[in-house]
Amino acid sequence: MKVSVIGSGYVGLVTGMGFVKLGNEVIFVDVDEKKINTINNSQPPIYEKGLAELMEEFKGKYYATRDYREAILNSDVTFIAVGTPSREDGSIDLTYVKQASREIGKILKEKNSYHVVVVKSTVLPGTTEGVVKPILEEESGKKAFQDFGLAMNPEFLREGVALEDFLNPDRIVIGVMDERTRKVLEELYAPISAPKLFTDIKTAEMIKYTSNAFLATKISFANEIGNICKKLGIDSWKVFEGVGLDHRISPHFFRTGIGWGGSCFPKDTRALIRKAEDLGEDPIILKAVVEVNERQPLKLIELLKKHIPELRGRTVGVLGLAFKPNTDDVRETGAYVVVKKLLTEGARVIAYDPQAMENFRKAYPDVGERIEFADSATNVLKATDIVLIVTEWSEFEELDYSGKIVIDGRRVRKAEETARVYEGVCW
C-alpha cells in the first residue's frame, strides 16, 4: 500500500518506517527543510534504536517532501502525526493538526479515488470528529465516511524502543465509522499479529489518554510509596517486586525514582485534567499525580544537602539529561529541574549525556548556557566528587564511583556498590 505521513517527528518517522518495514511505500511530509534532507539522505533526524539501520536497509521505499499534493495524490492512506503541544493552561494546541487538515482537504478535492485520513496525533476525545472532520469537508467539498475515510489510530510507542513497539505491539486500536475505512486499515495492519480493537472514534481517542494517565498514576503512586519507604529504611524496589507479583497489578512501571517526563505523560495528563475541568469535573487523582511528579526530581537536591548543606561554589556532576535512556529527547526532563536548582544554589554544574547534550542546550538555554558539558561520563567523575544520576544509561553501570558522593535517581547498581557515600531517592 502507498502511505503518506504528515509530520516526521518521533511518532511520524517511526510509524512511517514501520510501514516501510511491513512492505509499504511511504512519503513523509514536513515543513522542516533540514529534516527533509536528512531523511532523503537515509539518516534519522532523531535518535531511536534501530532506526538508522532500517532507513539504510530500505532506501528507495520512502522519501520526504514539503509538497502535500505530491504526497496525497500518490498515496492511499494519510496519517496525521504532527505535534499537539501544551498551552500554558494545560490544554493542547491544535494549530498543527488544523493546518495539516486544511492542506489535506485541499488535495482531497482533486482525488477521485477513496482516500483514508487517519489521525495519529494524540488529541482529546471529540477532536477528530469536531475539528478535523469539518475542516476536511470544508476544504474538499466532500463528505467524510462517504467520499473519503476518516479514522483515529492512537500510538502507544515508548521512546527508545519505539520501532519494537510498532512492529510488536500489545494492541492496535482503531476508531472508525465506516466499513470501507475499516477494511483499508485492516489490510494495512494485517502483517502485525496483535489484538486489534475497533471502536468508535471518540473511544479510540479516550483509550490513548486513559492509558497514559494510568501509567503516569502508577509511577507517581510508586514514588509516593517510595518516599515513605526511604524514611522507613525500606527498599522500595523490593516492595514493588512483591507487589508486582500480584497478577491483578503487574510489575510494570513500578521503578521508583525521580518521576516521568517526555513528550506524552506530562502533556497528556495535563490536557485530560483541563478537559475534565471544562466538563465540570474535578480530577483530584490526576492533579495529585502531576503534583507528586513535579516535586520528585528535587528529592535529589534534598538528599544531597543532607551531606553537603552548602552547595555554593561546589562542583556537581550530573549524569544524564534525556528524560529516559536510549533517546535524545529532553522534553519535560527531570534533569532541567535538577540543574536549575543546583544553579540557584550557586553550584557549578558539569553534565554528560550520550545523546541529549545538544538538545538540552538548545531546549533550555537559561541553564544550558551556564553549565559545562563533558565529553564522557568518566570526565565528569574526574572533575568532581559529587555526582547526581538523573538518567539510567547503561554505560553508567560501567563506571567506578569510588570516593564519590552519589545521589541516585534511577538505581544504577554500580554506583550503589562502589560509591563512598550513596543515597537512592526511594531506596
Side-chain angles (χ1 to χ4, degrees), residues 336-361:
Y336 172 69
V337 177
V338 170
V339 170
K340 187 173 184 180
K341 182 64 174 174
L342 287 171
L343 292 173
T344 301
E345 294 280 338
R348 170 190 170 219
V349 177
I350 180 165
Y352 171 76
D353 187 284
Q355 294 291 337
M357 290 192 288
E358 191 56 36
N359 284 353
F360 188 86
R361 192 199 308 266

Side-chain angles (χ1 to χ4, degrees), residues 319 351-353 357 373-381 395-396 399:
L319 292 181
Y352 171 76
D353 187 284
M357 290 192 288
F373 295 93
D375 56 10
S376 70
T378 301
N379 283 342
V380 171
L381 268 60
E395 68 180 74
F396 298 162
L399 301 173

Side-chain angles (χ1 to χ4, degrees), residues 11-51:
V11 173
L13 191 57
V14 170
T15 297
M17 290 310 302
F19 283 131
V20 169
K21 173 78 172 173
L22 297 177
N24 304 284
E25 295 179 23
V26 173
I27 305 171
F28 295 100
V29 179
D30 209 288
V31 296
D32 186 332
E33 203 66 50
K34 183 179 177 183
K35 195 178 285 187
I36 290 168
N37 291 335
T38 302
I39 293 169
N40 287 336
N41 286 325
S42 302
Q43 297 172 346
I46 57 170
Y47 176 76
E48 182 63 42
K49 184 180 176 184
L51 190 55

